[in-house]
Amino acid sequence: MTDRAPHPQVPLRRPPRLAPGARVVIVAPSGPVPEERLEAGLDVLRGWDLDPVAAPHVLDRHPRFPYLAGTDADRAADLQRAWCDPSVAAVICARGGYGAQRVVDLLDWEAMRAAGPKVLVGFSDVTALHEAFATRLGLVTLHGPMAAGVDFLKNARAQDHLRATLFAPETARVIAGTPGGGALVPGRARGVLLGGCLSLLSADLGTPYARPSARGGLLCLEDVGEQPYRLDRSLTQLLRAGWLDGVRGVLLGSWEECGPYERVRDVLADRLGALGVPVAEEFGFGHGAGALTVPFGAAAELDADAGTLTLDEPALL
């Protein structure tokens, strides 16, 4: 297709930052959303002096598949309508789970491109949307806490870092990993940030919405509930497909419920160590407590030894 974004070494277009009073819409492109958590998330956003609105189908349940928040058509329509509404400054996903892959084919990407840049926030299953927004819209997106997520509701670190990124992104240009983290493979590297949930990146290979490779990029990887052999399988798939050829560096986030970290670490070292690039572990993004917000599509420098990521420019304009 002709509207593919450039390779990851080219920084993507940055959306405008948020201002007090900005309207943000909460959508549910993936799994079902508990009503009490949605309401709590809306209250947090109101406390930030935002004007949060829940999309019409956020609390829906699919009639046959309990793992989906409503039908594919309704979930896609909510996202499309919110993105194309000129009064909306940001679209924040309510939660992950599964289902975003079923939505991307139903979106009118030409209409969304014409709507202009705005902020998308989410992680986990939203990885499929991060990839699609990069390849179809050429936009920086925020891999960060979601409005009905437990971490967003309960953890001040997660809230504060997302809020700083949204309102005052110049204050969040240096992202420091988790204390105790560091270099799985030492060194420094420069590139454009991309990535997300490992199993979703692997599942996205070969689709019209996946990047052709991670060449020139700083790849962020994390996952949840995947045993070490499954992580091995996903990494091996990326390696065999040549998708990791030319990657500049790797940042590793949380691996919640993936087994003892020592076993996970062995797999990561075995599969990524031979790339010959810096690899920073326990970087503090993903499904772990206090998850940091990472702007995918932004250019940055990774110092694996120091456990820092320094953005060339603020994540948002």
Side-chain angles (χ1 to χ4, degrees):
M1 299 183 68
T2 58
D3 53 351
R4 296 295 290 266
H7 280 232
Q9 61 263 40
V10 179
L12 303 182
R13 191 164 45 139
R14 293 177 294 155
R17 69 186 66 197
L18 301 190
R23 171 162 291 189
V24 300
V25 176
I26 312 304
V27 299
S30 304
V33 180
E35 184 172 6
E36 66 279 4
R37 279 170 37 188
L38 173 66
E39 292 301 327
L42 292 170
D43 284 343
V44 170
L45 295 170
R46 292 187 191 103
W48 293 2
D49 200 18
L50 291 170
D51 176 22
V53 178
H57 299 284
V58 166
L59 294 175
D60 283 5
R61 297 292 188 273
H62 194 284
R64 289 174 311 185
F65 306 129
Y67 48 82
L68 296 174
T71 65
D72 294 348
D74 286 340
R75 299 196 323 279
D78 275 359
L79 176 54
Q80 176 101 27
R81 189 180 301 113
W83 195 263
C84 293
D85 184 340
S87 73
V88 174
V91 175
I92 303 177
C93 297
R95 61 157 295 186
Y98 171 74
Q101 286 178 302
R102 297 173 57 130
V103 165
V104 291
D105 298 305
L106 304 180
L107 297 170
D108 183 341
W109 292 101
E110 289 189 10
M112 292 175 68
R113 190 182 302 110
K118 55 190 69 178
V119 177
L120 175 74
V121 183
F123 76 104
S124 192
D125 186 57
V126 181
T127 296
L129 292 178
H130 286 300
E131 283 288 282
F133 273 62
T135 59
R136 291 291 172 258
L137 304 183
L139 282 182
V140 168
T141 55
L142 300 183
H143 184 277
M146 295 179 281
V150 173
D151 196 44
F152 175 74
L153 299 176
K154 303 289 187 182
N155 193 288
R157 181 177 186 244
Q159 285 188 16
D160 291 347
H161 194 251
L162 175 59
R163 185 177 185 179
T165 303
L166 290 173
F167 287 95
E170 63 280 350
T171 68
R173 280 187 59 188
V174 178
I175 302 173
T178 304
L184 189 63
V185 179
R188 291 173 177 258
R190 295 186 56 79
V192 174
L193 293 158
L194 74 156
C197 190
L198 170 60
S199 55
L200 267 294
L201 290 170
S202 174
D204 223 27
L205 285 178
T207 72
Y209 303 96
R211 300 168 196 259
S213 78
R215 181 175 297 278
L218 295 177
L219 178 61
C220 301
L221 296 175
E222 62 90 32
D223 218 317
V224 62
E226 299 286 347
Q227 290 300 305
Y229 81 92
R230 296 171 66 92
L231 299 176
D232 187 317
R233 182 169 64 195
S234 292
L235 288 167
T236 300
Q237 171 71 355
L238 295 179
L239 287 164
R240 294 181 67 214
W243 198 79
L244 296 178
D245 293 352
V247 70
R248 298 271 181 83
V250 182
L251 294 83
L252 302 172
S254 60
W255 305 95
E256 292 291 303
E257 302 175 23
C258 292
Y261 184 64
E262 294 76 13
R263 292 180 59 208
V264 172
R265 191 176 193 268
D266 284 345
V267 171
L268 297 171
D270 178 79
R271 297 285 75 194
L272 298 172
L275 292 172
V277 301
V279 180
E281 63 178 329
E282 298 187 72
F283 214 86
F285 61 88
H287 289 81
L292 301 173
T293 299
V294 180
F296 287 169
E301 179 176 45
L302 167 66
D303 185 335
D305 302 84
T308 59
L309 181 72
T310 304
L311 305 177
D312 287 3
E313 299 178 298
L316 305 177
L317 292 171

